[in-house]
Amino acid sequence: MDKLLIEGGSPLKGEVAISGAKNAALPILCAALLTKGPLRLTNLPDLKDVRTMLGLLGQMGVRIERESANAVTLDAASIDNPVAPYEMVKTMRAAILVLGPLVARVGDARVSLPGGCAIGARPVDQHIKGLQSMGAEVTVEHGYVHARVPRLSGAKLFTDMVTVTGTENLMMAACLADGETVIENAAREPEVVDLANCLVAMGAQISGAGTDVIRIRGVERLHGATHRVMPDRIETGTYLCAAAATGGQVRLTGTSSCYLDSVIDKLMDAGCEITPERDAIRLQAPRRLQAVSLRTAPYPAFPTDMQAQFMAINCVAEGTAVIRETIFENRYMHAVELARLGADVRIDGNTAVVRGVDRLEGATVMATDLRASASLVIAGLVAQGETLVDRIYHLDRGYEHLDEKLSRLGARVRRVG
Ligand code: UD1
């Protein structure tokens, strides 16, 4: 099993290109199920989760043509097996995103329940409730969600909480429904907008994406299209944090500050100088960061997917930060691992109190989930001596060429078996 060996203490310096967004790519790949026409995607990140999704679509009958590591054409002219088996769903919860498109296009879908997940219960009741409101008959049997309907009907939908993949699933399903669907309390995340843009390019009639009310007028069929996946705002934020924590100076290209207001705001509060450019962001770190408190919430507030990375930078900042996690109930597993490096973090329910220390020291730590792993890498880059991050398959799910990109910025990192 791969591990990442980090020799800490070098400030990150230089320029690196940001990849396409994992959380936009995954739903957009599923959108291919909605049409018989070919969907060509560029700026697709070459990640384990993307390969898992391609494998899942392939076993349903979707033809996949790889142009390069970052471009692919999907052809779902025939779907002969509308099933997402447990073996695939258990490694990637986002597999639930095939449910809406499948039931809309072929009127029948069987998708394994994602089951428990390291960062909380994460049920899919809102996805199911929405499809039922659109006329689908949904049963849960033998660990599978089974949805059936000759054709979905447009409906007024309200989700009990803001759910990103829930909004995406229902928006995709509604594209082929009979009549208009209105999704209230919709997620406003930029990835929802990127998916909507792709669906519109495929002939869907959608308005309001990016607000909390999305209207979709169903059409008989969608057609093929070409779409460029948006830049990954969480990868961008992660490299900004790594540069900030190490006292570095970086320029991230192929990305934009416009999706990152809340994160940039906090980095500026921490003392970083940030210069947004047209398709790039520059960061210059101060000599020592100031602690920054934060509270996670749905977009445009501070993203839960950046919470762990900010915990890492607070570990070595001047002062004390209070972090409140409001999206997931069990998303502090990195705290005990950071403590192994000498961090001072106290957890009480959904609140973490991080007291900045003068220095961290290298140790062996265990990655527990994707963003938790990123926080351990950041801490390892700051720590004196060697840090060995075990179980980095979590990182490979969401960070394209992480070790290469960090090396390009001057970090001393290498993969070890
Ligand atoms: C997506 C992102 C993930 C991010 C999260 C929150 C993808 C592929 N993943 O995950 O990186 O951390 O948004 O920004 O885009 N909930 C329910 N019932 C449901 C659906 C959700 O109770 O049917 C709850 C969840 O348990 C959680 C909250 O709603 O507490 C938000 O979850 P949700 O937005 O659905 O997260 P994901 O879409 O799975």
Side-chain angles (χ1 to χ4, degrees):
M1 195 177 294
D2 273 6
K3 303 176 174 62
L4 198 66
L5 184 65
I6 306 171
E7 169 79 40
S10 316
L12 295 193
K13 285 213 162 82
E15 191 167 298
V16 86
I18 294 301
S19 300
K22 169 179 88 72
N23 285 355
L26 295 176
I28 289 170
L29 287 168
C30 297
L33 291 167
L34 288 165
T35 176
K36 287 186 171 185
L39 179 64
R40 179 171 175 266
L41 301 175
T42 60
N43 204 33
L44 188 71
D46 188 15
L47 296 171
K48 186 146 166 283
D49 271 8
V50 166
R51 289 190 289 270
T52 304
M53 187 63 90
L54 288 171
L56 177 60
L57 297 173
Q59 63 87 42
M60 289 177 186
V62 178
R63 293 215 330 263
I64 295 158
E65 209 178 295
R66 272 251 180 218
E67 233 172 88
S68 69
N70 301 109
V72 72
T73 299
L74 302 156
D75 179 345
S78 70
I79 298 169
D80 36 54
N81 182 32
V83 178
Y86 176 69
E87 288 64 38
M88 285 176 151
V89 178
K90 74 172 183 202
T91 63
M92 187 189 61
R93 183 189 142 81
I96 192 70
L97 285 163
V98 299
L99 183 65
L102 279 180
V103 72
R105 167 92 184 280
V106 296
D108 195 317
R110 271 173 28 91
V111 178
S112 170
L113 281 170
C117 161
I119 61 170
R122 301 181 89 177
V124 291
D125 54 309
Q126 301 303 309
H127 305 233
I128 293 174
K129 190 179 90 172
L131 291 174
Q132 282 172 328
S133 303
M134 295 169 81
E137 189 193 315
V138 185
T139 50
V140 178
E141 43 198 40
H142 307 295
Y144 278 74
V145 181
H146 190 180
R148 275 160 294 188
V149 66
R151 187 178 180 192
L152 290 166
S153 314
K156 192 163 179 177
L157 309 177
F158 182 86
T159 55
D160 293 349
M161 78 288 297
V162 176
T163 154
V164 178
T165 50
T167 301
E168 292 165 344
N169 231 339
L170 298 174
M171 182 167 73
M172 287 192 280
C175 288
L176 295 179
D178 184 13
E180 189 185 59
T181 298
V182 180
I183 307 174
E184 289 188 356
N185 201 25
R188 291 181 282 169
E189 268 66 5
E191 293 78 12
V192 174
V193 179
D194 202 35
L195 170 64
N197 289 342
C198 176
L199 292 167
V200 167
M202 294 164 70
Q205 294 188 10
I206 301 173
S207 62
T211 75
D212 60 1
V213 181
I214 303 180
R215 285 172 197 279
I216 307 111
R217 181 162 291 285
V219 295
E220 290 282 334
R221 64 186 60 81
L222 297 181
H223 50 72
T226 293
H227 180 79
R228 182 178 168 81
V229 176
M230 67 173 284
D232 196 314
R233 64 190 166 104
I234 306 300
E235 189 197 20
T236 307
T238 301
Y239 283 101
L240 291 177
C241 282
T246 57
Q249 186 182 3
V250 293
R251 180 168 184 267
L252 307 179
T253 60
T255 187
S256 168
S257 59
C258 70
Y259 317 112
L260 273 165
D261 286 346
S262 58
V263 168
I264 287 178
D265 204 51
K266 292 290 171 193
L267 286 168
M268 288 180 19
D269 287 351
C272 297
E273 206 177 290
I274 309 248
T275 318
E277 297 174 12
R278 225 174 85 89
D279 286 311
I281 307 180
R282 274 180 199 280
L283 176 141
Q284 163 83 60
R287 271 169 50 125
R288 183 151 190 210
L289 294 165
Q290 296 298 313
V292 279
S293 294
L294 57 96
R295 177 178 173 276
T296 67
Y299 191 85
F302 190 90
T304 174
D305 285 351
M306 285 301 302
Q307 176 259 106
Q309 299 87 320
F310 268 74
M311 184 180 285
I313 70 172
N314 277 315
C315 287
V316 288
E318 172 103 53
T320 299
V322 178
I323 299 179
R324 289 211 166 76
E325 171 59 59
T326 76
I327 308 282
F328 294 114
E329 68 269 29
N330 185 21
R331 209 173 192 182
Y332 284 138
M333 279 152 334
H334 41 286
V336 282
E337 299 298 312
L338 290 169
R340 293 174 53 74
L341 301 172
D344 180 353
V345 185
R346 271 181 302 123
I347 306 289
D348 182 10
N350 72 347
T351 303
V353 179
V354 188
R355 222 178 286 271
V357 294
D358 288 338
R359 54 183 236 156
L360 297 177
E361 280 175 7
T364 297
V365 289
M366 181 97 82
T368 49
D369 71 57
L370 174 55
R371 307 306 171 185
S373 315
S375 77
L376 299 178
V377 172
I378 293 171
L381 290 168
V382 178
Q384 295 186 350
E386 280 186 356
T387 295
L388 187 65
V389 184
D390 199 352
R391 298 202 178 165
I392 57 161
Y393 57 83
H394 290 291
L395 284 164
D396 294 331
R397 284 188 43 216
Y399 290 95
E400 191 176 30
H401 309 313
L402 177 83
D403 38 341
E404 283 169 37
K405 288 190 186 185
L406 286 174
S407 302
R408 206 166 305 146
L409 294 173
R412 286 170 288 170
V413 295
R414 79 188 147 87
R415 252 170 218 267
V416 292

